[in-house]
Amino acid sequence: MWLNNKYTKWYFEVIENAKKRNQELMYEKHHIVPKSLGGSNKKENLVKLTPREHFICHMLLVKMTKGENKVKMSYALHMLLHVENAYQKRYKVNSYLYENLKNNIRIDMIAANRKENNPFYGKKHSAKTRAELSKLRRERIEAGSSEGNFGPLSEEKRKKVSKGVSKYFAALSKEERSKKYSTSKDKFVECEHCNRTFSPSNYAQWHGDKCKKRKEV
């Protein structure tokens, strides 16, 4: 699985040092053998790393793998740079390093989907499928959408979405809504007309004197 090079050596040195020390206050859990390469969530496959160590380890993983495994590690590094979540910070790098990382990821992705590696290699869309795709593309453009987007929602679709959202919120108790959506910055406000709770900005825009349930005096 691992290439026999200096990057593999450095990777496991970081892992072993992290296992031996007293844990830092700020740490992130890391899968020693990544899950996409068959690693598990078992305790022996997890290590607590500092954010800096975590980022370095993912850079090393790209350099200590090859083929499909390298593509997976490149994608994992890409996610580490771009995808936010509630448990881990994202990493800011200088422009030089960012350019190199992006170029390497791009090269790996292209190689992974070239010729025989591409599941659509050697295949063609039927005339019927091409006609359907062309029709869908024209409809999107005529609807005023930018290329590749699905365009604005129709009035019927808007009502359907609104009805579904309202039904979902109606099923929640006031406590559940507050617990699910409240934050330390926002205190939810109850509308005196529809008896539902909203964030201050939502309340100001759609409720209070503007509420549809408000009875005209």
Side-chain angles (χ1 to χ4, degrees):
M1 181 187 297
W2 313 122
L3 296 176
N4 185 19
N5 58 25
K6 61 184 180 182
Y7 305 111
T8 301
K9 179 183 176 183
W10 293 345
Y11 178 79
F12 284 104
E13 284 179 354
V14 173
I15 298 298
E16 290 304 315
N17 288 335
K19 286 181 177 180
K20 293 175 184 177
R21 69 159 179 255
N22 292 326
Q23 295 303 331
E24 303 284 342
L25 291 177
M26 178 67 178
Y27 69 85
E28 297 175 354
K29 286 185 180 180
H30 173 69
H31 291 84
I32 300 171
V33 178
K35 292 184 70 175
S36 60
L37 301 186
S40 69
N41 286 325
K42 292 182 179 180
K43 186 176 180 180
E44 56 267 25
N45 192 46
L46 295 172
V47 63
K48 294 178 180 179
L49 302 176
T50 65
R52 181 171 181 269
E53 288 173 338
H54 197 192
F55 178 68
I56 290 172
C57 279
H58 273 279
M59 288 183 64
L60 292 172
L61 280 165
V62 176
K63 294 180 177 292
M64 52 192 275
T65 50
K66 65 178 182 179
E68 185 180 350
N69 288 347
K70 185 176 182 180
V71 173
K72 291 178 179 179
M73 293 302 94
S74 293
Y75 183 71
L77 179 59
H78 171 79
M79 297 292 283
L80 200 67
L81 284 170
H82 295 286
V83 179
E84 294 281 352
N85 64 50
Y87 306 102
Q88 291 182 348
K89 60 179 287 187
R90 297 303 85 178
Y91 302 89
K92 294 181 180 180
V93 296
N94 61 49
S95 58
Y96 177 78
L97 179 57
Y98 182 80
E99 182 179 26
N100 276 307
L101 291 174
K102 290 290 286 186
N103 283 337
N104 289 335
I105 290 171
R106 177 176 172 274
I107 291 170
D108 291 339
M109 294 295 184
I110 290 174
N113 290 287
R114 183 174 292 161
K115 295 186 177 181
E116 290 83 358
N117 294 328
N118 191 322
F120 201 70
Y121 178 70
K123 300 178 183 179
K124 292 183 178 180
H125 287 302
S126 66
K128 181 180 178 181
T129 300
R130 289 199 299 271
E132 290 176 351
L133 291 173
S134 179
K135 180 183 177 183
L136 180 60
R137 188 187 186 91
R138 286 196 302 272
E139 289 175 350
R140 292 175 185 172
I141 294 173
E142 290 170 0
S145 67
S146 58
E147 187 175 341
N149 292 331
F150 287 93
L153 295 177
S154 65
E155 189 62 30
E156 181 182 357
K157 184 67 174 179
R158 286 177 185 275
K159 289 180 180 179
K160 187 175 181 180
V161 171
S162 178
K163 184 178 180 181
V165 172
S166 298
K167 185 177 180 180
Y168 170 75
F169 274 96
L172 296 176
S173 67
K174 187 189 303 183
E175 292 75 18
E176 287 175 325
R177 287 197 295 271
S178 297
K179 184 178 180 181
K180 189 173 180 65
Y181 296 101
S182 62
T183 66
S184 58
K185 294 182 179 179
D186 294 327
K187 300 295 183 181
F188 275 57
V189 182
E190 181 176 341
C191 176
E192 59 273 28
H193 302 292
C194 63
N195 297 320
R196 293 165 59 192
T197 54
F198 304 91
S199 66
S201 59
N202 203 337
Y203 175 87
Q205 185 173 5
W206 302 108
H207 294 275
D209 292 340
K210 301 176 184 177
C211 183
K212 293 180 180 179
K213 300 284 185 178
R214 178 174 176 266
K215 295 180 180 180
E216 296 295 338
V217 179

